[in-house]
Amino acid sequence: MSDEIEFEEEEFTTQFNGQTMLRILAQTKPHWKWVVGFLVTITFVAGLDSYFTFLRKQMIDVGITPGDTAALARIGVIYFVMIFFQAAGVFAFIYLAGVLGERVRYDLRKKTFEHLQDLSLTYYSKTPVGWIISRVTSDTVRIAELVTWGMLDVTWGAVSISTAFVFMLAINWQLALLVLLIIPVLLFVAVTFKQRIIVEFRRVRKINSKITGAYNENITGVRVVKALGREEENLREFGELTGEMYQAGFRAAWLSALFLPAVQIISAVAVGVIIFFGGSQVEQGGLTVGGLAAFISYVTFMLWPIQDLARVYAEMQQSIASAERVFSLIDAVPDVVDQPNAIDPGTISGDIRFDHVDFDYGDGKPVLTDFCLTIKHGEMIALVGPTGGGKSTIVNLLCRFYEPVKGAITIGGQDYRELTLHAIQSRIGMVLQTPHLFSGTVRENIRYGQLTATDEEIEASAKLAGAHDFIVTLEKGYDEPVGEGGNLLSTGQKQLISLARAVLAKPELFILDEATSSVDTLTEALIQRGVETLMKDRTTFVIAHRLSTIKRASRILVIEQGRIAEMGTHAELLRQRGHYYNLYTRQFRHDLSKEYNLFALTGAAVN
Ligand SMILES: Nc1ncnc2c1ncn2[C@@H]1O[C@H](COP(=O)(O)OP(=O)(O)OP(=O)(O)O)[C@@H](O)[C@H]1O
Ligand SMILES: [Mg+2]
């Protein structure tokens, strides 16, 4: 998590960008009523604050100085009533801001989440998962905070300062103009300080995340560190990092400590000027005692809105950077999309053809070149061959996770780009080498294949997939939680559950990419039997390194460097004595020698 923050902080500029700001504000458009309510209440509350200072002036000038107790009582009542209104206003705007923030956050999360579902796999292979997750989580929060608490502080600050100024003008305009000179100075100093402070704090955070990373690596890799005697080297690196962090933390503390006194000194100077000029005006009769007191209050009080404005301004740049990242995600265009007239033919059970397909993963390195293959409906095709040969790529193209760069893939004679993605993908059942389960129970994970399935259907699928036997041995059986990503189960068990899930979906096209690579041979044989009944009348692709599982395939394709090196049935290929023969005999020998070792270990006589 820590590294992602680094990634995010360096990626975009933190310059003020008006266009992004407008787009952020546009997020509140659907909730404009809440925005208006919230702005009105906050204006009311901030305006009342200035009015209270004015009331105190009246209290002195109209009540105390002439000794008019009736006027004093009247002012007291107004004060009391207004305080009550203000309290109601404070309640309203905090409530409204909370709701507004929640709504904006919800919208953004929904928008990004929906968009993430549409994005093609190419986006995911280019973009680190951590980056995407920080966009959806922390960045959306920052945007929502800007449009609520940020907007609140800005409105409150602006209204406080301007209403105070209006009252000051009404009391004594010459003195009010003098105060007007102070405001920009205060704002400038406050903004400069706040920005510097934020920069230092960000530096601290960045180094901190590096330190956390270093800790993490040293703890998880402690064996390697010790084995290679790298302790001293690591200590030195660690020392450098903590030193840097200390320096940055020190500067941040220094600046933070300096900030308030600096602003206070400036406003103290302002108060001094007011006492000096205002005092002489009081003597000349141009200003009342209450008026002078009010001026001092206004100027001292102004410190807080100015501080808030400076803080929001400094933070706003970060929120804008957050927004730019979220918008860049929302704006990313999926590579594989439905064409305008795409149709759903209702089935994909026709013959499948790879027609002179060229493909690369966008890096210009060809994976398939002029690849041709025709698969008849109901065939079981097995793909074997060395790692990196292109087997998974072929099925990725078939599922239309990617599309051919050149050439076409046709289903029942129709280019599959004329079909909707849903038409294709909803009819394919796929089990991967690294199966993914969602946190939840075993039953829920299987049901994901067909949401309306009954418990009986789920059990039947689990039996076909060979998963039932191990599921019933779990403490809670089908209701056993699988943990996050299924991490409470072994890889083989996860594969069995994914298989059951695919079986339940009753796909028209079945793809098993190393689906049984992590289960023992006995279980594999069991699955084999179940899956074979299922494969009847269904086109199936099986990718396997363990060749014993594909002997019965209608055709076996040996894929090497993106080409079909050999093709035929098990018997035909053995007769050819080519690649497949070599692969098979090597594995067979290996398996035999394993058995031999087993016998030797158990002390059984081999002969
Ligand atoms: N997402 C990707 N981005 C870029 N290149 C990729 C990507 N996936 C695979 N490749 C490249 O495409 C080639 C074929 O990979 P593929 O995954 O199809 O091999 P495979 O035959 O399935 O191998 P294995 O038996 O190890 O699963 C490899 O050279 C690989 O580096
Ligand atoms: Mg593969």
Side-chain angles (χ1 to χ4, degrees):
M1 140 112 202
S2 46
D3 288 344
E4 275 90 66
I5 291 174
E6 255 180 77
F7 184 83
E8 82 180 49
E9 303 229 344
E10 278 159 3
E11 175 105 338
F12 286 82
T13 60
T14 46
Q15 292 304 309
F16 184 84
N17 182 335
Q19 237 171 339
T20 311
M21 191 63 217
L22 283 181
R23 195 164 165 194
I24 294 174
L25 292 177
Q27 303 303 315
T28 61
K29 215 164 147 194
H31 318 293
W32 66 270
K33 284 183 193 160
W34 295 81
V35 177
V36 171
F38 152 78
L39 291 181
V40 167
T41 42
I42 192 139
T43 305
F44 174 69
V45 169
L48 267 187
D49 268 336
S50 300
Y51 179 63
F52 284 146
T53 308
F54 182 75
L55 266 187
R56 285 197 288 276
K57 168 202 171 293
Q58 294 298 83
M59 191 177 74
I60 297 172
D61 291 345
V62 182
I64 298 172
T65 314
D68 183 347
T69 41
L72 257 183
R74 204 172 53 243
I75 292 170
V77 170
I78 296 177
Y79 210 101
F80 179 78
V81 174
M82 287 300 164
I83 281 277
F84 189 76
F85 277 121
Q86 197 188 34
V90 169
F91 167 82
F93 79 66
I94 291 180
Y95 174 73
L96 291 171
V99 174
L100 182 66
E102 208 45 61
R103 288 182 162 215
V104 170
R105 197 156 51 223
Y106 172 81
D107 283 356
L108 281 172
R109 289 222 167 124
K110 189 155 168 273
K111 233 183 262 177
T112 43
F113 191 79
E114 280 173 0
H115 193 66
L116 282 171
Q117 311 253 318
D118 292 337
L119 280 175
S120 327
L121 287 185
T122 22
Y123 185 83
Y124 288 96
S125 53
K126 277 187 302 210
T127 320
V129 178
W131 191 91
I132 298 177
I133 291 177
S134 342
R135 302 298 71 82
V136 182
T137 52
S138 51
D139 279 337
T140 49
V141 170
R142 248 190 230 157
I143 297 174
E145 273 175 4
L146 178 68
V147 296
T148 51
W149 307 114
M151 195 145 77
L152 189 150
D153 284 337
V154 168
T155 318
W156 184 72
V159 174
S160 297
I161 294 174
S162 48
T163 48
F165 187 65
V166 169
F167 279 112
M168 285 191 271
L169 271 180
I171 299 169
N172 183 311
W173 66 268
Q174 294 98 329
L175 214 50
L177 291 183
L178 207 61
V179 171
L180 196 59
L181 294 179
I182 296 290
I183 297 176
V185 180
L186 269 175
L187 259 179
F188 175 77
V189 172
V191 167
T192 318
F193 259 102
K194 284 284 179 194
Q195 272 175 331
R196 287 285 311 273
I197 291 172
I198 283 195
V199 167
E200 294 300 339
F201 271 121
R202 208 183 293 170
R203 194 166 293 154
V204 172
R205 259 212 321 273
K206 214 180 232 172
I207 303 171
N208 187 37
S209 70
K210 269 194 203 155
I211 291 181
T212 318
Y215 257 126
N216 198 349
E217 285 196 343
N218 269 288
I219 294 168
T220 48
V222 64
R223 273 168 228 269
V224 183
V225 173
K226 285 199 183 299
L228 298 179
R230 290 258 302 163
E231 290 98 327
E232 269 186 33
E233 176 75 11
N234 285 352
L235 265 180
R236 194 185 52 74
E237 278 174 22
F238 199 72
E240 272 171 25
L241 280 177
T242 40
E244 263 180 63
M245 177 146 149
Y246 173 79
Q247 290 296 333
F250 178 77
R251 278 193 299 271
W254 167 255
L255 285 169
S256 310
L258 214 57
F259 173 69
L260 256 190
V263 184
Q264 265 168 339
I265 286 174
I266 299 175
S267 73
V269 170
V271 170
V273 171
I274 285 164
I275 292 175
F276 182 75
F277 284 104
S280 59
Q281 292 225 0
V282 171
E283 276 173 15
Q284 290 158 18
L287 187 68
T288 58
V289 177
L292 182 62
F295 258 92
I296 293 171
S297 286
Y298 281 130
V299 172
T300 337
F301 177 74
M302 217 175 262
L303 215 65
W304 305 111
I306 282 180
Q307 233 211 121
D308 277 336
L309 284 178
R311 202 201 59 244
V312 174
Y313 180 74
E315 283 172 356
M316 200 191 286
Q317 297 184 328
Q318 264 190 309
S319 310
I320 285 179
S322 284
E324 278 175 3
R325 289 186 294 257
V326 172
F327 294 149
S328 86
L329 193 152
I330 293 178
D331 295 340
V333 184
D335 294 331
V336 180
V337 286
D338 280 343
Q339 290 189 354
N341 312 322
I343 54 155
D344 182 348
T347 175
I348 53 161
S349 62
D351 292 356
I352 299 169
R353 248 168 69 107
F354 282 71
D355 196 0
H356 301 282
V357 169
D358 284 1
F359 180 74
D360 62 71
Y361 280 99
D363 48 10
K365 213 178 79 198
V367 179
L368 300 182
T369 317
D370 202 33
F371 187 84
C372 293
L373 174 68
T374 305
I375 305 120
K376 294 238 162 317
H377 170 72
E379 266 194 304
M380 172 188 171
I381 299 286
L383 303 177
V384 301
T387 289
K391 302 179 293 293
S392 298
T393 306
I394 293 170
V395 297
N396 280 340
L397 280 168
L398 193 60
C399 296
R400 213 170 143 200
F401 293 145
Y402 304 89
E403 286 175 352
V405 174
K406 244 175 85 186
I409 295 174
T410 60
I411 299 176
Q414 191 167 25
D415 189 328
Y416 78 168
R417 281 172 286 211
E418 291 164 12
L419 314 180
T420 61
L421 281 166
H422 182 78
I424 300 169
Q425 287 166 355
S426 66
R427 295 192 176 94
I428 294 180
M430 197 169 184
V431 185
L432 302 176
Q433 178 172 23
T434 43
H436 186 84
L437 300 188
F438 300 99
S439 38
T441 63
V442 170
R443 194 191 309 279
E444 283 163 354
N445 268 287
I446 300 179
R447 184 170 278 139
Y448 200 76
Q450 169 66 47
L451 297 177
T452 54
T454 62
D455 287 354
E456 288 72 38
E457 286 171 319
I458 288 174
E459 256 182 58
S461 307
K463 278 182 187 152
L464 268 182
H468 180 76
D469 289 348
F470 101 81
I471 295 173
V472 290
T473 63
L474 297 172
E475 198 181 320
K476 292 184 190 152
Y478 281 85
D479 294 315
E480 182 87 2
V482 301
E484 193 183 329
N487 62 11
L488 298 179
L489 300 176
S490 76
T491 312
Q493 290 172 332
K494 279 193 271 186
Q495 284 185 338
L496 293 179
I497 292 178
S498 324
L499 196 63
R501 178 162 71 195
V503 168
L504 184 68
K506 297 201 181 64
E508 291 178 11
L509 178 66
F510 213 39
I511 295 174
L512 308 173
D513 189 350
E514 303 269 353
T516 54
S517 56
S518 296
V519 299
D520 60 74
T521 28
L522 192 71
T523 317
E524 193 168 43
L526 251 169
I527 298 172
Q528 204 65 33
R529 233 175 297 145
V531 172
E532 267 165 31
T533 31
L534 193 97
M535 282 173 185
K536 265 194 213 108
D537 213 36
R538 275 203 181 95
T539 314
T540 314
F541 271 77
V542 181
I543 299 179
H545 278 298
R546 232 189 260 163
L547 302 181
S548 55
T549 58
I550 50 148
K551 276 190 216 164
R552 263 181 285 222
S554 4
R555 264 190 295 165
I556 297 170
L557 275 62
V558 181
I559 305 291
E560 276 184 10
Q561 295 176 358
R563 285 179 312 104
I564 303 176
E566 267 175 10
M567 180 159 72
T569 61
H570 176 70
E572 282 167 7
L573 290 180
L574 281 188
R575 241 177 282 131
Q576 277 183 21
R577 300 203 160 231
H579 300 274
Y580 182 76
Y581 174 82
N582 288 333
L583 279 175
Y584 186 75
T585 44
R586 217 180 306 141
Q587 235 179 49
F588 191 62
R589 235 180 284 135
H590 179 70
D591 285 351
L592 266 187
S593 69
K594 260 204 306 202
E595 265 167 54
Y596 176 84
N597 281 337
L598 201 65
F599 276 122
L601 278 176
T602 51
V606 182
N607 211 334

